[in-house]
Amino acid sequence: MFKNYNMNQLILPLDLEMKLQENDIAFHIHRLVESIPAEAFAPFQKETGCPAYHPRMMLKIILCGYTQSVFSGRRIEDLTKDSVRMMWLAQGYEPSYRTINRFRIQPQMKELLRQCFVQFRCRLVEEKLIDQQAIFIDGTKLEVNANKFTFVWKKSIEKHHANLVEKSNQVYEQLLEEQVIPAIERESMEQLSVKELGEVAVTLEDVVDDYTTKITTSDDVIERKRLRAERKTPKQLLKQVDDWMKRKQKYEQDLEILGTRNSYSKTDQDATFMRMKDDYMQNGQLKAGYNIQIATENQFTLAYDVFPNPTDTKTLSPFLDVIEDQYFKLPKHIVADAGYGSEPNYEDIISKRKRTPLITYGMYRKEQQKKYKVDPFKTSNWSYDEEADTYTCPNNQTLSFLHHSTRKDSTGFVRHFKVYECEECTDCPFRSLCTKAGEGTNRKLAVNTKWEQQKAYVQQKLSEEKTAAIYRQRKTDVEPVFGFLKANLGFTRFSVRGKTKVKNEIGLALMATNLRKYSLRGL
């Protein structure tokens, strides 16, 4: 005996919702998207043309596809035809892969995704899944959809551009000396602009044309031979100047695209070449990628942003600005690893934002070791006389205040130092252990007072029981999110190009990890 099986008979229920489990992820996606205000969907409204699919429906099926580790538009289209949860979310509609791909890269998606994270966080607060005492910040690098060998390096461009400027200036001065061309009005005496090179090219072209006219009108063979010999040099220079014009224009465009970066990819000009942890070629090759920054609590991503620079240090302040402007008010504690520990970041969090940074710095772990604390040649262990403003070295020599000093980094941040100098270092038995300076020079010590105060503040906070407990949560809070994203969700590489499109795609992927974790919370 077999169970009844008849393909010609109508089988109930027709309502697909009844086929889904009670805690199915499709219900969480539906409730999340429905909580987004209608105003966020207004930019998608069009008064002319064929009626479009509702953006709520499109966002639901794309999010659902990402939660199932499906990132291809064609595969999402297939799911709308054979997946029960996708068929329910789409309510029978079957948008094509072109429609799906066009929708998820639209600039208007930025606001929809922002609303998704804002509404999702509100739900977490209502259900008391987060306590809003701290946020945990970390970053990871993801490879972009770009050829690995389309790099443009800033140092190379600057080198070739400098050579071009030097050669063009030499040729211009030579032409003036030989009175081949008249002097032109220059904007800068350091280099010829593209426009000025064009003026030189026009003048040389007139000279060449003049020689050509004389050659064609002359009947003397010897004179024509002489004129051709004289025309050869300006003709070659004209070709050279035309080449310089094209190259200089390209170099200036490259430098404009690079900005403060050291490289970019020709196939995705917003991407920067950086070292990835996933080095599948095992040769340390740099790959084009983006630095993804996220802020989490209880392993839920609450905010994110995309940066082209590979280091985390310079991303913290702009990322905190994005969080405050677009997502939520910053909690009391900002937690991150030593990659974010720097004087500008501490200054920004403590003085500007009035928050507590639970962020270690590069030497924090080492400074906690007993070996470091008892090392007499570590300047942090030298005794300091506050009244006399002097330090004492291991040889009991006094380092007196010499002068103030300032240093400005590439971002324009200025650090202030107090420089001290030892009275006498001649014949010091500890010289080789104390300094690498040459013989005949006394030991100097540069002290950044503000940086030392900031380090002492961080050490104090991390030694307190409550704040130390919060900092210890970092490894189990923010770092697993990247593991969920790459290992569980399978999102390891972008499929789109351009920072705007990349930001949309990583937003969908991060929200998908949130929804998967949220749907499993009761299991």
Side-chain angles (χ1 to χ4, degrees):
M1 181 179 293
F2 297 103
K3 293 184 179 180
N4 182 43
Y5 176 74
N6 189 346
M7 294 292 291
N8 298 319
Q9 181 178 351
L10 181 65
I11 302 296
L12 295 176
L14 294 178
D15 189 356
L16 295 174
E17 183 179 355
M18 297 179 65
K19 299 290 290 182
L20 300 175
Q21 296 182 6
E22 182 179 354
N23 196 39
D24 193 275
I25 197 169
F27 294 126
H28 301 301
I29 295 172
H30 170 69
R31 285 195 291 269
L32 174 65
V33 177
E34 290 296 326
S35 66
I36 299 175
E39 294 78 13
F41 298 94
F44 293 90
Q45 184 72 33
K46 294 182 179 180
E47 301 298 333
T48 58
C50 178
Y53 292 111
H54 201 289
R56 288 190 191 271
M57 183 270 288
M58 295 296 296
L59 181 57
K60 288 177 184 178
I61 64 172
I62 293 174
L63 276 174
C64 186
Y66 272 70
T67 59
Q68 306 308 306
S69 301
V70 176
F71 314 119
S72 165
R74 291 180 184 271
R75 293 188 61 195
I76 293 176
E77 178 188 357
D78 292 339
L79 286 179
T80 60
K81 300 174 183 179
D82 55 25
S83 169
V84 174
R85 59 167 62 94
M86 289 286 274
M87 293 167 67
W88 176 69
L89 289 172
Q91 287 296 293
Y93 288 113
E94 297 177 359
S96 69
Y97 72 92
R98 290 189 181 92
T99 304
I100 294 170
N101 290 339
R102 281 197 299 266
F103 180 83
R104 62 177 169 178
I105 65 173
Q106 290 188 57
Q108 296 90 332
M109 273 290 289
K110 178 182 178 181
E111 176 60 19
L112 285 188
L113 289 169
R114 188 189 73 83
Q115 288 286 349
C116 280
F117 281 90
V118 170
Q119 298 300 328
F120 186 77
R121 181 177 179 276
C122 291
R123 183 181 299 180
L124 296 177
V125 173
E126 290 176 2
E127 298 182 10
K128 298 182 179 180
L129 292 176
I130 58 175
D131 56 16
Q132 306 181 75
Q133 292 296 312
I135 56 170
F136 303 86
I137 295 176
D138 202 359
T140 190
K141 302 177 186 67
L142 287 178
E143 190 176 350
V144 301
N145 179 21
N147 193 302
K148 301 176 183 63
F149 305 103
T150 58
F151 40 74
V152 177
W153 301 105
K154 188 173 186 177
K155 287 185 178 180
S156 177
I157 296 297
E158 291 175 339
K159 176 183 176 181
H160 292 307
H161 184 253
N163 292 337
L164 187 151
V165 169
E166 183 181 356
K167 291 179 181 179
S168 61
N169 286 341
Q170 289 175 356
V171 170
Y172 176 72
E173 295 297 334
Q174 179 185 348
L175 292 173
L176 288 182
E177 289 178 5
E178 298 176 359
Q179 298 183 347
V180 178
I181 63 171
I184 60 174
E185 186 177 348
R186 300 178 61 176
E187 298 176 1
S188 172
M189 300 305 295
E190 296 180 358
Q191 59 177 305
L192 292 164
S193 65
V194 175
K195 181 181 178 182
E196 291 165 352
L197 285 172
E199 294 177 13
V200 173
V202 170
T203 307
L204 284 172
E205 190 173 358
D206 292 339
V207 173
V208 172
D209 291 342
D210 185 49
Y211 273 112
T212 304
T213 303
K214 290 179 180 179
I215 292 171
T216 55
T217 57
S218 176
D219 295 330
D220 190 342
V221 177
I222 298 176
E223 184 181 2
R224 290 169 63 182
K225 186 175 182 180
R226 178 183 60 80
L227 290 171
R228 286 194 187 95
E230 293 178 359
R231 185 183 65 173
K232 184 177 180 180
T233 299
K235 196 172 182 180
Q236 290 175 343
L237 290 175
L238 175 60
K239 184 178 180 180
Q240 185 70 65
V241 171
D242 285 338
D243 179 59
W244 285 342
M245 287 173 57
K246 296 176 183 177
R247 286 169 54 195
K248 185 174 180 63
Q249 189 172 15
K250 181 182 180 302
Y251 293 155
E252 290 179 350
Q253 290 175 351
D254 288 338
L255 291 172
E256 184 178 354
I257 293 171
L258 284 163
T260 58
R261 296 181 293 162
N262 63 353
S263 64
Y264 79 86
S265 171
K266 294 178 183 177
T267 48
D268 187 350
Q269 296 182 353
D270 293 334
T272 306
F273 277 81
M274 53 187 74
R275 197 172 304 281
M276 306 286 179
K277 288 183 179 178
D278 301 326
D279 185 11
Y280 47 82
M281 297 182 72
Q282 300 297 319
N283 60 358
Q285 180 183 348
L286 301 180
K287 303 178 186 68
Y290 290 98
N291 189 352
I292 312 303
Q293 297 290 310
I294 64 171
T296 69
E297 187 176 354
N298 195 19
Q299 297 183 358
F300 290 108
T301 303
L302 307 180
Y304 72 99
D305 203 358
V306 176
F307 295 90
N309 50 300
T311 57
D312 292 333
T313 309
K314 298 177 182 178
T315 63
L316 183 59
S317 291
F319 184 38
L320 293 178
D321 289 336
V322 168
I323 294 175
E324 287 190 306
D325 294 341
Q326 302 181 17
Y327 293 98
F328 53 88
K329 184 179 178 181
L330 291 174
K332 183 178 180 181
H333 301 100
I334 311 296
V335 188
D337 61 21
Y340 299 85
S342 68
E343 184 181 342
N345 289 341
Y346 289 146
E347 177 73 14
D348 178 62
I349 296 174
I350 298 172
S351 302
K352 178 184 174 182
R353 306 182 194 274
K354 309 300 181 184
R355 299 295 190 271
T356 302
L358 301 182
I359 305 173
T360 57
Y361 48 89
M363 291 290 292
Y364 176 79
R365 297 294 181 192
K366 197 168 186 179
E367 289 179 1
Q368 307 309 307
Q369 297 176 1
K370 182 178 179 180
K371 180 181 178 181
Y372 186 95
K373 292 181 178 180
V374 299
D375 189 345
F377 298 102
K378 301 297 183 184
T379 56
S380 58
N381 298 328
W382 290 5
S383 60
Y384 174 67
D385 188 338
E386 188 173 354
E387 293 184 2
D389 193 15
T390 59
Y391 284 87
T392 303
C393 74
N395 197 30
N396 292 323
Q397 296 294 321
T398 302
L399 284 83
S400 304
F401 173 74
L402 186 62
H403 60 80
H404 289 280
S405 175
T406 58
R407 300 175 190 172
K408 182 185 291 188
D409 61 18
S410 58
T411 62
F413 185 82
V414 179
R415 292 174 171 82
H416 300 275
F417 294 87
K418 294 179 69 176
V419 180
Y420 297 82
E421 185 176 10
C422 186
E423 295 177 348
E424 183 61 50
C425 288
T426 307
D427 299 328
C428 177
F430 306 119
R431 184 180 182 86
S432 61
L433 299 173
C434 182
T435 180
K436 295 180 181 179
E439 294 291 339
T441 58
N442 293 329
R443 175 72 156 93
K444 289 185 179 180
L445 174 64
V447 179
N448 186 339
T449 306
K450 180 180 287 188
W451 174 239
E452 296 300 328
Q453 292 172 351
Q454 290 173 345
K455 291 199 298 182
Y457 176 81
V458 170
Q459 290 173 359
Q460 177 191 350
K461 288 297 179 181
L462 293 178
S463 63
E464 297 175 3
E465 183 177 352
K466 179 181 177 181
T467 49
I470 295 175
Y471 179 76
R472 285 194 296 270
Q473 295 177 20
R474 185 191 65 81
K475 289 185 178 181
T476 58
D477 197 293
V478 63
E479 292 185 3
V481 175
F482 291 128
F484 301 154
L485 178 70
K486 296 178 181 180
N488 295 352
L489 198 67
F491 190 90
T492 57
R493 191 174 187 266
F494 292 108
S495 59
V496 293
R497 296 173 179 174
K499 184 178 177 181
T500 303
K501 298 176 183 178
V502 161
K503 190 171 181 180
N504 288 349
E505 187 172 31
I506 191 62
L508 290 167
L510 290 171
M511 182 50 65
T513 60
N514 282 346
L515 289 166
R516 285 179 62 159
K517 178 175 172 57
Y518 182 82
S519 65
L520 296 173
R521 71 194 189 285
L523 301 180

